[in-house]
Amino acid sequence: MPTVKATTVSADDPQTYEDAHVHAVYDEIAPHFSSTRYKPWPIIAAFLSSLPAGSVGVDLGTGNGKYLPLPSERPGSVWTVGLDRSRNLLQIAKQAGEREREVVWGDVLDGPWRPGAFVIEQDELSKRSIPAGADESCDTEVRVPLGKGQDVFVPWVLAHPAAPKPKASRRSKGGSQQIPEEKAPERKEEAVQAASKVFDRYYHMFAQGELNELVTEAAGEMGLQVGEPKSGSAYGVQIIQDGWERSNYFVELRRWKQ
Ligand SMILES: C[S@@+](CC[C@H](N)C(=O)[O-])C[C@H]1O[C@@H](n2cnc3c(N)ncnc32)[C@H](O)[C@@H]1O
């Protein structure tokens, strides 16, 4: 387990920071990163299995595209397009499950999915890795881009990789962190001479309750009611489930229209 260090982000040019500590890192570590992330998370697999045949959606930050072939019990019944900023990871995702997959290079912050699509969103995509103010440390402007359609939106966000399951009464403080990501030498011969290289990969660590607050805020900004479908409220979003699994907070949402 890599150690995680809190970081002070100097963001004179936030885009430059994000390019260096998120996008360039993923491009660089793509093969190693992919080899360590082959197992679908059960909640996302179950979500995809719950979708009716013919559903179309997007996996934001698809990485190596491990969700693209799902649901495994009904291959081909759900069409998931993989979107990512890392061209090297997309090259891998393109062949996920050893079949040609639909992938697209893009930035999740541009909201590049069509109304009605279901959305899978995982890890640090639920926030922007850029501090709200140039001189603020460990303080991140967080946005949750809700799905545009009436379907289901599943953001997953990392809490702390080594954090114990939070107690309901204790609220931990989130913040900006860098996780050293080791890249093993790609060829065996190199291993003799080359020590593995360590990259600092930026993460936002979510505090308990933070994700649900963000979802509620984002829904409010979009003029959506949060809760069960109600007559008199034209549009809303319902929290189907939320919780904590494998050191990650998650929330599953469904848009509704009355
Ligand atoms: C922690 S990985 C998760 C990968 C994959 N979803 C999985 O479960 O293995 C985050 C992914 O998001 C991508 N990413 C980060 N910021 C992005 C952005 N602004 N737009 C699109 N993709 C982004 C990264 O390149 C990386 O593939």
Side-chain angles (χ1 to χ4, degrees), residues 37-79:
R37 295 196 177 48
Y38 52 87
K39 240 178 145 175
W41 290 21
I43 287 184
I44 295 187
F47 164 66
L48 287 164
S49 292
S50 75
L51 294 171
S55 297
V56 177
V58 60
D59 181 13
L60 298 175
T62 194
N64 63 4
K66 65 172 176 274
Y67 298 112
L68 305 183
L70 302 185
S72 50
E73 72 285 5
R74 287 184 287 135
S77 62
V78 167
W79 185 26

Side-chain angles (χ1 to χ4, degrees), residues 15 18 22-27 33-34 36-41 44 59-67 83-87 89-90 104-110 112 120-125 127-129 156 158 201-203:
Q15 194 57 59
E18 183 158 305
V22 180
H23 308 311
V25 175
Y26 278 114
D27 257 341
F33 183 82
S34 173
T36 60
R37 295 196 177 48
Y38 52 87
K39 240 178 145 175
W41 290 21
I44 295 187
D59 181 13
L60 298 175
T62 194
N64 63 4
K66 65 172 176 274
Y67 298 112
L83 179 140
D84 209 281
R85 272 283 304 255
S86 164
R87 291 180 194 278
L89 281 169
L90 284 180
V104 62
W105 184 81
D107 195 311
V108 60
L109 295 171
D110 295 335
I120 304 170
E121 183 168 330
Q122 192 181 358
D123 288 350
E124 77 269 35
L125 295 184
K127 55 92 191 95
R128 186 158 176 89
S129 60
W156 283 70
L158 191 90
R201 184 157 54 94
Y202 177 94
Y203 262 95

Side-chain angles (χ1 to χ4, degrees), residues 80-214:
T80 311
V81 177
L83 179 140
D84 209 281
R85 272 283 304 255
S86 164
R87 291 180 194 278
N88 291 345
L89 281 169
L90 284 180
Q91 286 300 334
I92 298 168
K94 227 166 132 178
Q95 294 297 330
E98 286 164 17
R99 274 206 33 213
E100 190 81 8
R101 304 287 167 193
E102 201 78 44
V103 296
V104 62
W105 184 81
D107 195 311
V108 60
L109 295 171
D110 295 335
W113 57 93
R114 71 161 173 76
F118 70 80
V119 176
I120 304 170
E121 183 168 330
Q122 192 181 358
D123 288 350
E124 77 269 35
L125 295 184
S126 292
K127 55 92 191 95
R128 186 158 176 89
S129 60
I130 292 176
D135 55 357
E136 288 180 79
S137 63
C138 298
D139 190 5
T140 311
E141 182 184 325
V142 185
R143 298 184 204 164
V144 176
L146 294 176
K148 291 174 185 162
Q150 294 173 49
D151 290 305
V152 187
F153 173 60
V154 186
W156 283 70
V157 292
L158 191 90
H160 190 292
K165 192 176 162 102
K167 292 199 179 74
S169 57
R170 213 189 69 221
R171 205 190 141 99
S172 60
K173 207 171 175 312
S176 308
Q177 311 272 319
Q178 286 185 336
I179 300 179
E181 182 82 26
E182 285 201 27
K183 186 190 172 202
E186 270 152 29
R187 290 195 322 217
K188 277 211 175 104
E189 310 90 85
E190 284 178 329
V192 184
Q193 295 154 357
S196 62
K197 192 172 168 188
V198 177
F199 294 85
D200 284 334
R201 184 157 54 94
Y202 177 94
Y203 262 95
H204 177 77
M205 300 298 182
F206 276 73
Q208 192 182 353
E210 187 180 352
L211 176 60
N212 285 30
E213 277 170 26
L214 287 166

